[in-house]
Amino acid sequence: MIALLIVPLLLPWILPPLARRAAGRVRPDVALWSITTAAVVLAVGVVVCLGVLLLPLALTIPPLAALVHLIQPLRAGPAPLTLGVSVLSAGIAAVTGVTVLRRGWSEAQRLRTAHGDVAHLPHVGGLCVLDDSRPDAYVLPGLTGPGRVVVTSGMLRSLDLHEREALLAHERAHLASRHHLFLAAAQLAGWCHPALAAVIPQVSFAAERAADESAARATGDRTLTARAVGRAALAATRGGVRPRGSVLAAGAVTGPVPARVKALLAQAPARRVAPALLAMALLCTMAGASSLAGSIWLHRGVEIAQGEYLSD
Protein backbone atom coordinates (compact mmCIF):
# COMPACT_ATOMS: atom_id res chain seq x y z
CA MET A 1 0.00 0.00 0.00
CA ILE A 2 2.99 2.33 0.41
CA ALA A 3 3.07 2.41 -3.40
CA LEU A 4 -0.01 4.66 -3.24
CA LEU A 5 2.19 7.36 -1.73
CA ILE A 6 4.97 6.86 -4.28
CA VAL A 7 2.72 7.19 -7.35
CA PRO A 8 2.13 10.97 -6.87
CA LEU A 9 5.91 11.43 -6.82
CA LEU A 10 6.17 9.87 -10.30
CA LEU A 11 3.11 11.40 -11.99
CA PRO A 12 4.67 14.87 -12.48
CA TRP A 13 6.97 13.40 -15.14
CA ILE A 14 3.91 12.98 -17.38
CA LEU A 15 2.94 16.66 -17.25
CA PRO A 16 5.68 18.33 -19.39
CA PRO A 17 4.70 16.70 -22.74
CA LEU A 18 1.04 17.34 -22.01
CA ALA A 19 1.81 20.97 -21.19
CA ARG A 20 3.70 21.42 -24.46
CA ARG A 21 0.73 20.08 -26.43
CA ALA A 22 -1.73 22.25 -24.53
CA ALA A 23 0.36 25.42 -24.92
CA GLY A 24 0.50 24.93 -28.68
CA ARG A 25 -3.08 23.85 -29.37
CA VAL A 26 -5.36 25.42 -26.78
CA ARG A 27 -6.53 29.02 -26.43
CA PRO A 28 -3.74 30.79 -24.48
CA ASP A 29 -5.74 31.89 -21.43
CA VAL A 30 -7.24 28.41 -21.06
CA ALA A 31 -3.81 26.81 -21.47
CA LEU A 32 -2.34 29.18 -18.87
CA TRP A 33 -4.96 28.32 -16.26
CA SER A 34 -4.89 24.59 -17.03
CA ILE A 35 -1.12 24.09 -17.03
CA THR A 36 -0.56 26.21 -13.92
CA THR A 37 -3.37 24.49 -12.02
CA ALA A 38 -2.08 21.04 -12.95
CA ALA A 39 1.46 21.97 -11.85
CA VAL A 40 0.22 23.31 -8.51
CA VAL A 41 -2.03 20.29 -7.84
CA LEU A 42 0.82 17.87 -8.60
CA ALA A 43 3.22 19.89 -6.44
CA VAL A 44 0.78 19.77 -3.53
CA GLY A 45 0.48 16.01 -4.03
CA VAL A 46 4.27 15.69 -3.91
CA VAL A 47 4.54 17.71 -0.70
CA VAL A 48 1.69 15.81 0.97
CA CYS A 49 3.14 12.41 0.07
CA LEU A 50 6.62 13.35 1.25
CA GLY A 51 5.14 14.52 4.54
CA VAL A 52 3.12 11.34 5.02
CA LEU A 53 6.07 9.11 4.07
CA LEU A 54 8.08 10.80 6.81
CA LEU A 55 5.79 9.38 9.51
CA PRO A 56 7.26 5.85 9.76
CA LEU A 57 10.72 7.31 10.39
CA ALA A 58 9.50 10.08 12.68
CA LEU A 59 7.45 7.70 14.81
CA THR A 60 10.49 5.54 15.55
CA ILE A 61 11.69 8.42 17.74
CA PRO A 62 10.38 7.66 21.27
CA PRO A 63 9.32 11.24 22.20
CA LEU A 64 7.29 11.56 18.99
CA ALA A 65 5.80 8.11 19.39
CA ALA A 66 4.77 9.03 22.95
CA LEU A 67 3.35 12.34 21.71
CA VAL A 68 0.83 10.54 19.46
CA HIS A 69 0.22 7.87 22.13
CA LEU A 70 1.59 4.85 20.25
CA ILE A 71 1.53 1.71 22.38
CA GLN A 72 3.19 -0.44 19.72
CA PRO A 73 5.42 0.22 16.68
CA LEU A 74 3.80 1.54 13.53
CA ARG A 75 3.53 -1.23 10.92
CA ALA A 76 3.22 0.25 7.46
CA GLY A 77 4.73 -2.67 5.56
CA PRO A 78 8.07 -4.52 5.50
CA ALA A 79 10.28 -2.68 7.95
CA PRO A 80 13.40 -2.34 5.73
CA LEU A 81 11.36 -1.05 2.80
CA THR A 82 9.23 1.30 4.90
CA LEU A 83 12.15 2.83 6.77
CA GLY A 84 14.25 3.07 3.61
CA VAL A 85 11.53 4.95 1.76
CA SER A 86 10.92 7.12 4.81
CA VAL A 87 14.60 8.05 5.12
CA LEU A 88 14.75 8.87 1.40
CA SER A 89 11.62 11.01 1.72
CA ALA A 90 13.14 12.87 4.66
CA GLY A 91 16.19 13.72 2.58
CA ILE A 92 14.12 14.86 -0.40
CA ALA A 93 11.83 16.91 1.83
CA ALA A 94 14.81 18.61 3.47
CA VAL A 95 16.40 19.49 0.12
CA THR A 96 13.07 20.74 -1.21
CA GLY A 97 12.44 22.90 1.83
CA VAL A 98 15.89 24.49 1.66
CA THR A 99 15.50 25.07 -2.09
CA VAL A 100 12.12 26.78 -1.69
CA LEU A 101 13.36 29.04 1.10
CA ARG A 102 16.65 29.94 -0.56
CA ARG A 103 15.29 30.56 -4.06
CA GLY A 104 12.16 32.25 -2.77
CA TRP A 105 14.24 34.71 -0.77
CA SER A 106 16.54 35.30 -3.74
CA GLU A 107 13.60 35.95 -6.05
CA ALA A 108 12.06 38.38 -3.55
CA GLN A 109 15.37 40.25 -3.35
CA ARG A 110 15.65 40.48 -7.15
CA LEU A 111 12.10 41.80 -7.39
CA ARG A 112 12.80 44.38 -4.70
CA THR A 113 15.97 45.45 -6.53
CA ALA A 114 14.06 45.78 -9.82
CA HIS A 115 11.52 48.02 -8.10
CA GLY A 116 14.33 50.08 -6.61
CA ASP A 117 15.76 50.70 -10.09
CA VAL A 118 12.58 52.47 -11.22
CA ALA A 119 11.26 53.83 -7.92
CA HIS A 120 12.70 57.30 -8.65
CA LEU A 121 11.19 57.50 -12.13
CA PRO A 122 8.00 59.48 -12.80
CA HIS A 123 5.14 57.38 -14.13
CA VAL A 124 1.87 58.14 -15.88
CA GLY A 125 -0.88 55.55 -15.57
CA GLY A 126 1.61 53.01 -14.29
CA LEU A 127 3.99 53.52 -17.23
CA CYS A 128 7.56 54.63 -16.64
CA VAL A 129 10.40 55.10 -19.13
CA LEU A 130 13.88 53.91 -18.16
CA ASP A 131 16.76 55.79 -19.77
CA ASP A 132 18.65 52.85 -21.25
CA SER A 133 19.81 52.41 -24.84
CA ARG A 134 19.22 48.64 -24.65
CA PRO A 135 15.69 47.92 -25.94
CA ASP A 136 13.46 46.22 -23.37
CA ALA A 137 9.91 46.28 -22.03
CA TYR A 138 8.48 44.41 -19.07
CA VAL A 139 6.10 44.66 -16.13
CA LEU A 140 6.89 44.76 -12.45
CA PRO A 141 4.17 43.39 -10.15
CA GLY A 142 3.42 45.66 -7.25
CA LEU A 143 4.90 44.89 -3.85
CA THR A 144 2.45 47.00 -1.85
CA GLY A 145 0.48 48.68 -4.62
CA PRO A 146 -0.25 48.55 -8.33
CA GLY A 147 2.44 47.28 -10.65
CA ARG A 148 4.27 49.22 -13.33
CA VAL A 149 4.98 48.88 -17.02
CA VAL A 150 8.64 49.62 -17.66
CA VAL A 151 9.93 50.43 -21.14
CA THR A 152 13.42 51.63 -22.02
CA SER A 153 14.16 54.62 -24.21
CA GLY A 154 15.99 52.27 -26.55
CA MET A 155 12.81 50.25 -27.11
CA LEU A 156 10.73 53.36 -27.78
CA ARG A 157 13.21 54.47 -30.45
CA SER A 158 13.04 51.04 -32.09
CA LEU A 159 9.29 51.10 -32.76
CA ASP A 160 6.92 53.44 -34.53
CA LEU A 161 3.89 54.98 -32.82
CA HIS A 162 1.42 52.19 -33.61
CA GLU A 163 3.90 49.46 -32.68
CA ARG A 164 4.49 51.18 -29.35
CA GLU A 165 0.73 51.13 -28.68
CA ALA A 166 0.62 47.38 -29.40
CA LEU A 167 3.65 46.73 -27.20
CA LEU A 168 2.18 48.70 -24.28
CA ALA A 169 -1.16 46.94 -24.71
CA HIS A 170 0.72 43.64 -24.39
CA GLU A 171 2.44 44.73 -21.18
CA ARG A 172 -0.75 46.15 -19.65
CA ALA A 173 -2.45 42.82 -20.36
CA HIS A 174 0.19 41.11 -18.21
CA LEU A 175 -0.66 43.40 -15.31
CA ALA A 176 -4.44 43.28 -15.76
CA SER A 177 -4.48 39.48 -15.91
CA ARG A 178 -1.99 39.13 -13.03
CA HIS A 179 0.26 36.84 -15.02
CA HIS A 180 2.96 37.22 -12.40
CA LEU A 181 0.85 35.07 -10.06
CA PHE A 182 0.81 32.24 -12.61
CA LEU A 183 4.56 32.55 -13.08
CA ALA A 184 5.10 32.56 -9.31
CA ALA A 185 2.91 29.48 -8.84
CA ALA A 186 4.71 27.62 -11.63
CA GLN A 187 8.09 28.62 -10.21
CA LEU A 188 7.13 27.37 -6.74
CA ALA A 189 5.85 24.08 -8.18
CA GLY A 190 9.11 23.70 -10.10
CA TRP A 191 11.10 24.02 -6.90
CA CYS A 192 9.08 21.15 -5.42
CA HIS A 193 9.76 18.63 -8.21
CA PRO A 194 12.30 18.63 -11.09
CA ALA A 195 9.69 17.47 -13.64
CA LEU A 196 7.49 20.45 -12.80
CA ALA A 197 10.42 22.80 -13.45
CA ALA A 198 10.19 21.71 -17.09
CA VAL A 199 6.64 23.13 -17.20
CA ILE A 200 7.72 26.69 -16.35
CA PRO A 201 8.60 27.61 -19.98
CA GLN A 202 5.14 26.46 -21.09
CA VAL A 203 3.46 28.63 -18.45
CA SER A 204 5.59 31.58 -19.57
CA PHE A 205 4.75 30.93 -23.23
CA ALA A 206 1.02 30.69 -22.48
CA ALA A 207 1.19 33.98 -20.53
CA GLU A 208 2.95 35.72 -23.43
CA ARG A 209 0.46 34.32 -25.93
CA ALA A 210 -2.46 35.44 -23.78
CA ALA A 211 -0.99 38.95 -23.62
CA ASP A 212 -0.42 38.88 -27.39
CA GLU A 213 -4.07 38.04 -28.01
CA SER A 214 -5.20 40.76 -25.62
CA ALA A 215 -3.00 43.30 -27.43
CA ALA A 216 -4.40 42.15 -30.79
CA ARG A 217 -7.93 42.72 -29.51
CA ALA A 218 -7.01 46.13 -28.07
CA THR A 219 -5.44 47.36 -31.29
CA GLY A 220 -7.86 45.55 -33.58
CA ASP A 221 -4.94 44.49 -35.76
CA ARG A 222 -3.24 41.09 -35.41
CA THR A 223 -0.65 41.91 -38.06
CA LEU A 224 0.36 45.10 -36.26
CA THR A 225 0.72 43.21 -32.98
CA ALA A 226 2.80 40.50 -34.65
CA ARG A 227 5.04 43.14 -36.21
CA ALA A 228 5.45 44.92 -32.88
CA VAL A 229 6.40 41.70 -31.08
CA GLY A 230 8.83 40.70 -33.81
CA ARG A 231 10.51 44.10 -34.10
CA ALA A 232 10.75 44.46 -30.31
CA ALA A 233 12.43 41.06 -30.00
CA LEU A 234 14.77 41.81 -32.90
CA ALA A 235 15.70 45.16 -31.38
CA ALA A 236 16.37 43.55 -28.01
CA THR A 237 18.60 40.95 -29.65
CA ARG A 238 20.60 43.53 -31.57
CA GLY A 239 20.83 45.92 -28.64
CA GLY A 240 22.28 43.35 -26.25
CA VAL A 241 20.67 41.44 -23.43
CA ARG A 242 19.60 43.65 -20.58
CA PRO A 243 19.50 41.91 -17.15
CA ARG A 244 15.82 41.58 -16.26
CA GLY A 245 16.21 40.53 -12.64
CA SER A 246 13.03 38.86 -11.44
CA VAL A 247 11.50 35.99 -13.43
CA LEU A 248 8.12 37.48 -12.50
CA ALA A 249 8.85 40.51 -14.70
CA ALA A 250 7.03 39.28 -17.80
CA GLY A 251 7.98 41.02 -21.04
CA ALA A 252 7.04 41.07 -24.69
CA VAL A 253 10.49 40.02 -25.89
CA THR A 254 10.61 36.76 -23.93
CA GLY A 255 9.68 33.26 -24.99
CA PRO A 256 9.78 31.67 -28.46
CA VAL A 257 9.01 34.82 -30.44
CA PRO A 258 8.75 33.14 -33.89
CA ALA A 259 6.01 30.83 -32.60
CA ARG A 260 4.18 33.81 -31.09
CA VAL A 261 4.38 35.81 -34.32
CA LYS A 262 3.18 32.82 -36.34
CA ALA A 263 0.20 32.38 -34.03
CA LEU A 264 -0.69 36.09 -34.31
CA LEU A 265 -0.56 35.97 -38.10
CA ALA A 266 -2.92 33.01 -38.07
CA GLN A 267 -6.59 33.28 -37.18
CA ALA A 268 -7.68 33.79 -33.58
CA PRO A 269 -7.35 30.59 -31.51
CA ALA A 270 -10.47 28.43 -31.40
CA ARG A 271 -12.37 27.66 -28.26
CA ARG A 272 -11.86 23.92 -27.95
CA VAL A 273 -11.04 21.31 -25.38
CA ALA A 274 -7.89 19.47 -26.46
CA PRO A 275 -7.16 15.89 -25.35
CA ALA A 276 -4.15 17.28 -23.46
CA LEU A 277 -6.50 19.18 -21.13
CA LEU A 278 -8.49 16.05 -20.38
CA ALA A 279 -5.26 14.13 -19.79
CA MET A 280 -4.04 16.80 -17.35
CA ALA A 281 -7.35 16.65 -15.48
CA LEU A 282 -7.04 12.85 -15.26
CA LEU A 283 -3.45 13.20 -14.06
CA CYS A 284 -4.48 15.55 -11.26
CA THR A 285 -7.34 13.25 -10.28
CA MET A 286 -4.99 10.27 -10.09
CA ALA A 287 -2.51 12.21 -7.97
CA GLY A 288 -5.22 13.39 -5.59
CA ALA A 289 -6.88 9.98 -5.26
CA SER A 290 -3.59 8.19 -4.70
CA SER A 291 -2.42 10.71 -2.11
CA LEU A 292 -5.74 10.51 -0.25
CA ALA A 293 -5.89 6.71 -0.31
CA GLY A 294 -2.28 6.40 0.87
CA SER A 295 -2.81 8.93 3.64
CA ILE A 296 -5.95 7.14 4.86
CA TRP A 297 -4.12 3.81 4.83
CA LEU A 298 -1.20 5.16 6.86
CA HIS A 299 -3.57 6.95 9.24
CA ARG A 300 -5.29 3.62 9.93
CA GLY A 301 -1.87 2.14 10.65
CA VAL A 302 -1.28 4.88 13.24
CA GLU A 303 -4.65 4.15 14.83
CA ILE A 304 -3.76 0.46 15.06
CA ALA A 305 -0.44 1.35 16.66
CA GLN A 306 -2.38 3.44 19.17
CA GLY A 307 -4.41 0.37 20.06
CA GLU A 308 -7.74 1.65 18.77
CA TYR A 309 -8.45 -1.61 16.96
CA LEU A 310 -7.26 -4.01 19.65
CA SER A 311 -9.87 -6.55 20.65
CA ASP A 312 -11.12 -6.63 24.21
Side-chain angles (χ1 to χ4, degrees), residues 105-273:
W105 174 258
S106 178
E107 183 61 34
Q109 291 297 104
R110 284 195 293 269
L111 187 59
R112 188 174 290 107
T113 299
H115 270 279
D117 292 340
V118 300
H120 64 286
L121 297 177
H123 63 92
V124 178
L127 171 66
C128 57
V129 179
L130 185 63
D131 186 15
D132 193 324
S133 61
R134 292 169 294 184
D136 200 5
Y138 55 93
V139 296
L140 285 177
L143 295 176
T144 57
R148 291 188 181 186
V149 174
V150 181
V151 60
T152 66
S153 55
M155 180 62 79
L156 292 178
R157 288 192 295 267
S158 301
L159 306 177
D160 63 30
L161 176 62
H162 299 297
E163 290 167 347
R164 292 174 192 170
E165 292 177 354
L167 181 71
L168 295 179
H170 173 102
E171 301 300 346
R172 290 191 179 102
H174 279 311
L175 278 181
S177 299
R178 299 181 180 273
H179 287 163
H180 58 280
L181 297 180
F182 294 91
L183 295 173
Q187 190 74 58
L188 183 58
W191 294 336
C192 294
H193 196 286
L196 298 179
V199 177
I200 298 174
Q202 308 309 320
V203 173
S204 178
F205 176 68
E208 294 303 328
R209 282 285 298 115
D212 288 342
E213 292 297 330
S214 179
R217 290 192 298 271
T219 60
D221 191 336
R222 299 181 66 84
T223 302
L224 169 64
T225 305
R227 188 170 70 245
V229 169
R231 289 193 62 184
L234 184 61
T237 301
R238 290 176 175 174
V241 178
R242 183 179 178 277
R244 179 69 55 82
S246 173
V247 297
L248 304 185
V253 298
T254 59
V257 174
R260 292 169 52 198
V261 171
K262 181 180 178 180
L264 280 168
L265 293 177
Q267 62 180 358
R271 296 170 177 256
R272 61 178 181 177
V273 178

